[in-house]
Amino acid sequence: MSSFSESALTKKLGELNNSQQSIQTLSLWVIHHRKHARTIVQVWQTELIKAKIDKKLTFLYLANDVIQNSRKKSTEFTKAFGGVLITAFTHVAKHADGKTKSAIERMLSIWVERSVYEADYIKQISQSVNKVLRTKNSKDLVVVGEKAKENAKIKQEEKDFEPLLKKSRLDELIHQTEDDDYLTLSPRDPPDADELAKVLMELENSASSDAVVREKIASLPPEVQDVSRLERITDRETADRLSTTVDEACLLLAEYNGRLVAEIDDRRQVARMLADFVRQQKSLLQESEQKLANYREKLAKVSEVRKELKSHIQNLPDLTMLPSVTGGLAPLPSAGDLFN
């Protein structure tokens, strides 16, 4: 990758667009230069303020991509962006339309779910955004705290076996759209073969491969899954035992579903890593094939020269077969003989 400079970053930010490829390419470049994290964030904030209104959300997408893809390896960007995010989100909210507000809500919700930052800090961002939106008399507010309460209520309804109106996190992952890739599955540099092999090995111990838990779930009594059987309960003791069994079943299933959701995340990430790895290998294959073609051509030329050289050598006269030019003649006099 090219070397880092503020002018280079400013130029790249100026060329940034809302496409997934543009965001991810610049994100990889930024993460590669993580030792300049503080300077990068300062330039990013300056250019965000200068950017056109329709481009400001793209700057938040870029920050999100950098923060999420770098935080597992280092905390430079998490800390550096942490000092400016409230100001940045507030600035973007001042110019937000409906699509931008929804995108901000989605981003902050994911940050809450994944604990990208402390909940209190994300709440401060949300409150600052909401304050700006209320000033603009916006009806579509971003309220992460209310979302958390709603999610808690939904979980309670799940426990009570009541129908849900809101999509589960599992559904979100399964039916994830390409727009969500900015926030969830942003790709990184092609992985090393060892790294890829390691994550593939880890998938062998995934939730879907846990036969022990699946057996436990399969062996749950029918009473915990069939409401009609509740009519057969006639005494409190039986009801209490069933209640305990149902609670244990809920805990078991909730935990297993959580592991399956995490596995989906992992498999999506591995799929992206595999795609990046295959793309890199195809590129390397093309380079190798081109090198092979070039060196075959060189070999052919060298072989031709070798062939011609052999033929030329064979046509040269054999000097050992020539008569001696000094045979039978007296030796030349020495210098001393000349002066005597």
Side-chain angles (χ1 to χ4, degrees), residues 52-114:
K52 295 180 180 180
I53 293 176
D54 60 354
K55 192 175 178 180
K56 293 184 184 294
L57 179 60
T58 306
F59 274 71
L60 292 185
Y61 279 144
L62 174 64
N64 171 79
D65 198 287
V66 171
I67 292 168
Q68 291 212 59
N69 283 328
S70 65
R71 67 192 184 100
K72 292 183 179 180
K73 295 183 178 179
S74 60
T75 60
E76 290 99 328
F77 284 109
T78 304
K79 293 178 180 178
F81 275 107
V84 303
L85 285 176
I86 294 179
T87 302
F89 272 88
T90 303
H91 172 75
V92 176
K94 290 179 180 178
H95 308 281
D97 55 13
K99 179 181 178 181
T100 301
K101 287 180 288 186
S102 298
I104 292 175
E105 178 182 6
R106 169 73 171 149
M107 191 179 302
L108 293 178
S109 296
I110 289 178
W111 285 9
V112 169
E113 291 176 13
R114 300 190 174 187

Side-chain angles (χ1 to χ4, degrees), residues 22 50 56 100 132 143 161 181 185 202 207 224 254 274:
S22 178
K50 294 179 182 179
K56 293 184 184 294
T100 301
V132 172
V143 188
F161 300 102
D181 283 347
L185 298 174
E202 289 174 352
V224 303
L274 285 168

Side-chain angles (χ1 to χ4, degrees), residues 201-242:
M201 289 291 291
E202 289 174 352
L203 285 180
E204 293 185 1
N205 298 320
S206 60
S208 59
S209 302
D210 194 337
V212 175
V213 174
R214 294 206 313 272
E215 181 64 26
K216 288 182 180 179
I217 295 173
S219 62
L220 289 173
E223 289 81 2
V224 303
Q225 305 175 62
D226 189 354
V227 177
S228 64
R229 291 177 177 266
L230 297 179
E231 298 177 356
R232 304 178 186 181
I233 300 176
T234 57
D235 60 278
R236 181 60 180 268
E237 183 179 354
T238 303
D240 288 341
R241 285 200 304 269
L242 181 58

Side-chain angles (χ1 to χ4, degrees), residues 148-322:
K149 292 181 181 178
E150 183 181 350
N151 290 339
K153 181 179 179 181
I154 290 173
K155 289 181 180 179
Q156 182 61 41
E157 290 175 348
E158 286 177 342
K159 189 173 181 180
D160 295 337
F161 300 102
E162 292 180 2
L164 302 178
L165 298 178
K166 186 177 184 298
K167 283 187 176 181
S168 68
R169 173 65 178 144
L170 181 60
D171 288 333
E172 288 182 9
L173 285 167
I174 293 174
H175 303 292
Q176 195 171 52
T177 63
E178 187 165 328
D179 289 340
D180 291 336
D181 283 347
Y182 296 133
L183 309 172
T184 54
L185 298 174
S186 301
R188 57 194 70 183
D189 289 326
D192 295 330
D194 291 341
E195 180 185 0
L196 186 57
K198 181 180 178 181
V199 295
L200 289 172
M201 289 291 291
E202 289 174 352
L203 285 180
E204 293 185 1
N205 298 320
S206 60
S208 59
S209 302
D210 194 337
V212 175
V213 174
R214 294 206 313 272
E215 181 64 26
K216 288 182 180 179
I217 295 173
S219 62
L220 289 173
E223 289 81 2
V224 303
Q225 305 175 62
D226 189 354
V227 177
S228 64
R229 291 177 177 266
L230 297 179
E231 298 177 356
R232 304 178 186 181
I233 300 176
T234 57
D235 60 278
R236 181 60 180 268
E237 183 179 354
T238 303
D240 288 341
R241 285 200 304 269
L242 181 58
S243 177
T244 300
T245 304
V246 168
D247 288 343
E248 292 174 351
C250 283
L251 181 61
L252 176 64
L253 288 166
E255 181 182 356
Y256 190 60
N257 283 336
R259 290 175 60 196
L260 288 172
V261 168
E263 180 183 339
I264 290 175
D265 270 332
D266 291 341
R267 289 191 182 278
R268 285 183 181 275
Q269 186 62 37
V270 170
R272 184 64 57 84
M273 292 173 68
L274 285 168
D276 291 339
F277 185 78
V278 170
R279 183 168 56 251
Q280 180 195 45
Q281 294 304 310
K282 286 183 177 180
S283 177
L284 293 174
L285 174 62
Q286 291 177 349
E287 292 179 8
S288 297
E289 289 175 341
Q290 184 60 48
K291 287 179 181 179
L292 177 60
N294 292 340
Y295 284 103
R296 276 179 172 170
E297 184 178 350
K298 290 180 183 295
L299 175 61
K301 291 180 179 179
V302 173
S303 297
E304 181 65 22
V305 171
R306 182 187 182 188
K307 179 180 177 181
E308 292 297 325
L309 180 60
K310 284 185 176 180
S311 175
H312 183 69
I313 290 173
Q314 290 175 354
N315 293 328
L316 290 175
D318 188 352
L319 297 180
T320 61
M321 302 297 294
L322 294 176

